[in-house]
Amino acid sequence: RPGWTGMGKRASAAHRCPGAERLPRGLLLLLLATFCGCPGDCQQQVQCRIQKCTTDFVSLTSHLNSGSDGFDLEFCKALRAYAACTQRTSKACRGVLAFHSAVQGIGDLMIHRNCSKDGPTSPTHPEILHDPCNYHSRTGAREQRGVEFIQPTYLFCGLFGDPHLRTFKDQFQTCKVGGAWPLIDNNYLTVQVTNVRVVPGSSATATNKVTIIFKSYQGCTEQKVYQAVTDDLPAAFIDGTTSGGDSDTKSLRIVERVGGKHVEMHARYIGTTVYVRQLG
């Protein structure tokens, strides 16, 4: 059963994906999950951002040496920035235990380090965090420039069965489609599936082939193509490689979870993960 992740506004307009009760032996399943990272992409409630506050604090203090001159000054600046961040997200974090624990911990640390509540604060988004081939980093950089920011969340789409479709908006459809057809085709990637009849004479079909094309993207990766068929889920792209982009950052890479049964493709530059799995 293959699974897959798409990104952005175009992907959310793609086909839908429900769930099947049973699948014939050896047929594939396709799932899609996508980030909803911009105000126009989706409607969602304001989220508690205590985890981001904590992550920023760790980024600001992890390089400090407690034995060096100026440590207390920089640590107190980071603590005040941490406290300010918790204040900004306090309304959305009511009832969140991690938030209240963080607030208590900040107070204890400020007393222990003799930090005043008033004073300079560290920048909440260090420049070193920006990575143009990391979707999370780009959204953080957008906030650093003062652009309105909504914490990204995943949306999911799935394809399986004869075939059943579940949309990114959690709508369900079932359609009997034979042959090859495009599930997703946007500026970032293309997904094409091939369905065959489950039983001769029956109108029911199931997916036995999936082709995924990661399109070349702004110096982060060259075009890569992955293809899976029933009983053959390779752990590499069709050119034999297992990653795309710089060999150190690997903005696109393949990870085999279960030999011949479960493969994942992680595309960091578009915040996308593709899961390819086989049932039976």
Side-chain angles (χ1 to χ4, degrees):
R1 121 194 182 195
W4 141 276
T5 315
M7 168 194 148
K9 200 168 183 178
R10 289 187 178 85
S12 64
H15 289 71
R16 292 90 208 237
C17 320
E21 295 78 16
R22 294 179 299 174
L23 284 177
R25 176 177 176 80
L27 294 176
L28 301 176
L29 168 87
L30 183 65
L31 293 178
L32 300 91
T34 181
F35 263 118
C36 183
C38 299
D41 289 351
C42 59
Q43 294 181 352
Q44 62 186 95
Q45 296 180 345
V46 177
Q47 296 182 346
C48 175
R49 302 182 61 198
I50 187 59
Q51 184 175 357
K52 187 177 187 307
C53 294
T54 302
T55 299
D56 285 348
F57 174 71
V58 172
S59 298
L60 292 168
T61 57
S62 59
H63 67 285
L64 298 178
N65 184 346
S66 60
S68 63
D69 293 337
F71 170 81
D72 288 336
L73 175 62
E74 293 302 320
F75 194 83
C76 288
K77 288 168 62 177
L79 273 176
R80 285 190 287 268
Y82 194 5
C85 185
T86 61
Q87 291 174 2
R88 290 193 296 270
T89 193
S90 59
K91 289 184 179 180
C93 294
R94 293 172 181 171
V96 178
L97 181 60
F99 169 78
H100 296 287
S101 298
V103 171
Q104 181 64 47
I106 292 170
D108 292 343
L109 282 172
M110 293 189 77
I111 293 174
H112 179 69
R113 293 289 177 179
N114 293 319
C115 299
S116 63
K117 292 184 177 180
D118 297 324
T121 62
S122 300
T124 54
H125 302 285
E127 291 290 340
I128 57 174
L129 294 180
H130 178 58
D131 178 358
C133 291
N134 185 318
Y135 180 74
H136 299 279
S137 176
R138 291 202 307 276
T139 56
R142 182 174 61 200
E143 182 180 18
Q144 185 177 2
R145 294 193 302 269
V147 180
E148 182 181 2
F149 176 82
I150 295 179
Q151 186 68 21
T153 58
Y154 271 112
L155 300 178
F156 295 90
C157 177
L159 170 68
F160 46 94
D162 65 349
H164 300 286
L165 294 169
R166 173 187 171 182
T167 71
F168 289 109
K169 296 182 179 180
D170 288 332
Q171 297 174 337
F172 294 84
Q173 293 184 359
T174 298
C175 50
K176 298 175 173 59
V177 179
W181 53 282
L183 179 67
I184 286 183
D185 187 12
N186 59 36
N187 291 337
Y188 311 103
L189 50 89
T190 295
V191 180
Q192 180 169 289
V193 298
T194 301
N195 295 330
V196 296
R197 294 191 184 280
V198 177
V199 179
S202 171
S203 61
T205 64
T207 302
N208 75 336
K209 181 179 180 180
V210 176
T211 301
I212 302 167
I213 302 174
F214 293 90
K215 300 178 181 180
S216 177
Y217 185 81
Q218 297 179 2
C220 296
T221 183
E222 62 278 23
Q223 179 170 292
K224 291 290 182 179
V225 180
Y226 179 84
Q227 191 170 88
V229 297
T230 301
D231 295 326
D232 184 13
L233 274 67
F237 297 107
I238 62 173
D239 62 2
T241 62
T242 59
S243 64
D246 185 89
S247 59
D248 294 326
T249 59
K250 292 183 179 179
S251 55
L252 173 62
R253 63 190 179 95
I254 289 182
V255 177
E256 185 177 51
R257 295 302 184 188
V258 180
K261 293 290 185 179
H262 182 181
V263 175
E264 297 177 4
M265 280 153 277
H266 300 273
R268 295 170 60 248
Y269 61 99
I270 52 175
T272 293
T273 302
V274 179
Y275 304 91
V276 181
R277 301 183 64 184
Q278 177 169 311
L279 293 181

